[in-house]
Amino acid sequence: MTKPIIVWLRRDLRLADHPALFAAASSGPVIPVYVLDDESTGNRRMGGASRWWLHHSLASLEKSLGRHRSQLVLRRGDAVREITALAKEAGAEQVHAIRHYEPWWRKAQGKLAKEVDLVLHDGNYLLPPGAVTTGSGDLYKIYTPFAKAARQCLPAREPLDEPSLTNPDTWPASDTLADWNLLPTKPDWAGGFAKAWDVGEKAAHDRLEEFTDAVSDYEDDRNMPSIDGSSRLSPHLHFGEISPAQVWDRLSRHTGKGADTYRGELLWRDYAQNVICQFPDYPSHSYRDYGEGLWRNPDRGHLIAEDLAAWQQGRTGYPIVDAGMRQLWATGWMHNRVRMIAASFLVKHLLIDWRHGEQWFWDTLVDADYGNNGVNWQWISGTGVDSNMFPRIMAPLTQSEKFDAGDYIREWVPELADLPDAQIHDPDDAHRPKSYPAKVIGHREARERALAAWRDVKSNG
């Protein structure tokens, strides 16, 4: 009897272009397993929105495996402990997995390798960290030279086909997905998620086809919140329902600035992994630490805490910011241009430490990614290894008008839906409905306060 091989799944919930699954299937019977590990992750336990997506992604994967008369084994607990026990239980001598770079997974991979024959594969990024290095052999810290060097190595390989699977003689015991209670109960805050998303490998490829059909317009459309110009592939890529190699391959049929711009955004994902490999705590520790003097800490006063709550709930009095934050709560996703505007508003208009925003996004985004989330927040806050300078303060009202966000605001801030274009971006007191809050702070006042705080920090530093 050929001994089965375990395939340990994490953020790689697909069958096609899955190097670990492909290699295992070529060698013997396969036991795919997913472990819900809330122990190893520490304070990085998966947020509520991500757990919603995970439930539906695992359900979709179970159906896909069913086409092969295969199964998905579900276990809950410390991943190293559960995989080790499962290997003994099933008589498996080898475990295959796609390599992950979050610090808790790197630690778990090291521990598991001491217990079983662990074979790690690359497959969640275009290139593994370390594949491109500076002239001195170091990992890149700055995106632009990193992307330039990486492009010279791409495509790294052709995407793999979905493998044929052989099943073990007996299947190990498995949890049931419903018992994990990944979905909200009461109140069901995820009601809008199902309307906004189709989840799973097929849905990812369907979305890719829709996006690439219109990718020639991406360079301009990606900045326009009122139209569907974004790829909306980020949660599919995060959970590995589609691989970046597959996306890159599909984009190879397209030339022009739109496709090239999106290739650059795929490379940003790779860049973020290079950053967290060098600085594992990057999503919680500033690379350039300006100290507490720059930030208004919500723990120090109820007015600051109220400002944070107003931002979280979309009640700042800035329509473009509020529309984005309400879209985030309703759908688990926010338009990328609006993410930058909303993030900048928290950090620079409200002077609240970027880590409060990073944590909120971690819990509310369906595409909450350890590397991307941390790198993006440090970029906007001016604290990152490669970042926008703090004194560069985005003007949300100007941005809203420039990128024609009127219909976007009408959709997500319905109290303003009847306002004309001349008022929708910045309603004055005569036109602002009583149900919509006044600005928590004026733009000019916020800008002057932020620059003054910056000067104080620099002069005292």
Side-chain angles (χ1 to χ4, degrees):
M1 180 182 69
T2 304
K3 293 186 176 180
I5 299 169
I6 291 173
V7 176
W8 176 26
L9 301 169
R10 285 169 286 178
R11 292 191 300 102
D12 40 37
L13 304 179
R14 62 184 182 273
L15 299 185
D17 197 39
H18 196 300
L21 182 65
F22 193 91
S26 301
S27 302
V30 172
I31 300 176
V33 58
Y34 184 92
V35 180
L36 180 62
D37 186 347
D38 289 329
E39 299 177 23
S40 301
T41 51
N43 64 358
R44 283 293 164 171
R45 182 180 184 269
M46 197 180 300
S50 293
R51 295 168 95 84
W52 178 92
W53 191 285
L54 175 65
H55 174 95
H56 293 288
S57 191
L58 290 174
S60 175
L61 183 62
E62 285 182 322
K63 291 180 181 179
S64 297
L65 287 168
R67 299 198 315 265
H68 295 266
R69 300 184 184 278
S70 182
Q71 300 179 24
L72 178 60
V73 175
L74 302 175
R75 297 288 175 95
R76 188 170 193 168
D78 178 87
V80 174
R81 182 181 68 237
E82 293 298 324
I83 295 292
T84 301
L86 181 61
K88 293 178 180 177
E89 179 184 339
E93 294 183 346
Q94 201 169 68
V95 176
H96 286 252
I98 287 183
R99 185 178 283 106
H100 285 55
Y101 298 99
E102 292 86 351
W104 59 90
W105 289 136
R106 293 172 70 182
K107 182 178 180 180
Q109 287 162 179
K111 291 172 64 177
L112 184 60
K114 297 177 181 179
E115 303 294 335
V116 301
D117 180 9
L118 177 63
V119 183
L120 293 174
H121 304 260
D122 296 307
N124 266 14
Y125 298 94
L126 294 168
L127 296 165
V132 292
T133 55
T134 66
S136 59
D138 298 324
L139 294 180
Y140 282 96
K141 294 181 174 65
I142 306 300
Y143 168 75
T144 299
F146 165 81
K148 182 178 180 180
R151 284 177 183 267
Q152 304 304 311
C153 305
L154 293 169
R157 60 177 179 82
E158 295 293 323
L160 298 167
D161 293 332
E162 183 176 313
S164 297
L165 301 179
T166 304
N167 296 326
D169 292 337
T170 58
W171 283 99
S174 172
D175 293 350
T176 60
L177 185 57
D179 288 342
W180 283 0
N181 297 316
L182 296 172
L183 301 178
T185 51
K186 293 182 180 180
D188 182 7
W189 46 259
F193 285 31
K195 298 177 183 178
W197 299 103
D198 292 321
V199 181
E201 187 171 7
K202 181 182 182 301
H205 284 274
D206 288 345
R207 181 57 196 172
L208 176 61
E209 289 302 308
E210 292 177 10
F211 170 62
T212 51
D213 284 346
V215 75
S216 60
D217 298 322
Y218 181 68
E219 175 65 17
D220 295 325
D221 288 357
R222 67 189 178 125
N223 285 312
M224 311 299 287
S226 294
I227 63 176
D228 185 17
S230 299
S231 76
R232 294 175 65 90
L233 285 168
S234 54
H236 299 294
L237 283 163
H238 173 72
F239 281 94
E241 297 170 349
I242 194 169
S243 75
Q246 290 171 312
V247 179
W248 192 276
D249 182 68
R250 182 67 179 80
L251 285 171
S252 67
R253 307 174 202 175
H254 298 269
T255 58
K257 197 167 185 180
D260 196 56
T261 295
Y262 192 72
R263 279 188 280 265
E265 293 177 358
L266 285 176
L267 284 166
W268 184 266
R269 294 182 71 252
D270 277 39
Y271 167 71
Q273 302 311 302
N274 273 260
V275 171
I276 65 168
C277 280
Q278 297 173 80
F279 312 107
D281 295 330
Y282 196 81
S284 57
H285 289 80
S286 294
Y287 180 81
R288 294 182 175 90
D289 192 351
Y290 302 129
E292 291 296 316
L294 185 61
W295 310 115
R296 300 168 64 237
N297 192 325
D299 296 333
R300 295 179 181 171
H302 72 279
L303 293 179
I304 305 173
E306 288 177 1
D307 282 350
L308 175 59
W311 177 82
Q312 292 170 335
Q313 297 166 14
R315 297 185 294 101
T316 68
Y318 286 75
I320 184 66
V321 175
D322 295 340
M325 298 307 293
R326 295 187 195 186
Q327 181 189 30
L328 172 61
W329 184 257
T331 71
W333 184 85
M334 194 194 308
H335 185 278
N336 184 59
R337 167 60 57 175
V338 185
R339 288 192 200 197
M340 290 191 289
I341 296 169
S344 177
F345 187 88
L346 178 74
V347 173
K348 298 176 183 180
H349 279 65
L350 299 182
L351 278 180
I352 291 177
D353 193 320
W354 64 270
R355 281 162 282 218
H356 290 282
E358 194 276 340
Q359 282 294 309
W360 185 252
F361 275 22
W362 179 262
D363 191 50
T364 56
L365 281 171
V366 291
D367 61 5
D369 182 273
Y370 184 75
N372 269 21
N373 202 31
V375 168
N376 291 343
W377 273 99
Q378 290 226 49
W379 186 87
I380 205 73
S381 69
T383 59
V385 61
D386 184 4
S387 62
N388 199 5
M389 295 181 65
F390 183 88
R392 293 181 180 174
I393 300 172
M394 297 182 79
L397 305 175
T398 302
Q399 289 271 312
S400 180
E401 186 172 3
K402 177 180 179 181
F403 294 110
D404 196 18
D407 287 343
Y408 177 77
I409 293 168
R410 291 184 179 97
E411 179 179 4
W412 296 110
V413 189
E415 338 48 321
L416 305 180
D418 294 332
L419 292 185
D421 289 346
Q423 287 290 330
I424 192 72
H425 307 288
D426 184 18
D428 58 31
D429 288 341
H431 291 84
R432 177 174 57 83
K434 292 182 179 179
S435 58
Y436 186 69
K439 293 183 179 70
V440 292
I441 187 172
H443 172 64
R444 179 175 294 181
E445 178 188 355
R447 177 180 171 79
E448 291 175 353
R449 180 176 69 176
L451 293 176
W454 172 254
R455 287 192 294 270
D456 288 344
V457 167
K458 298 298 285 186
S459 64
N460 295 327

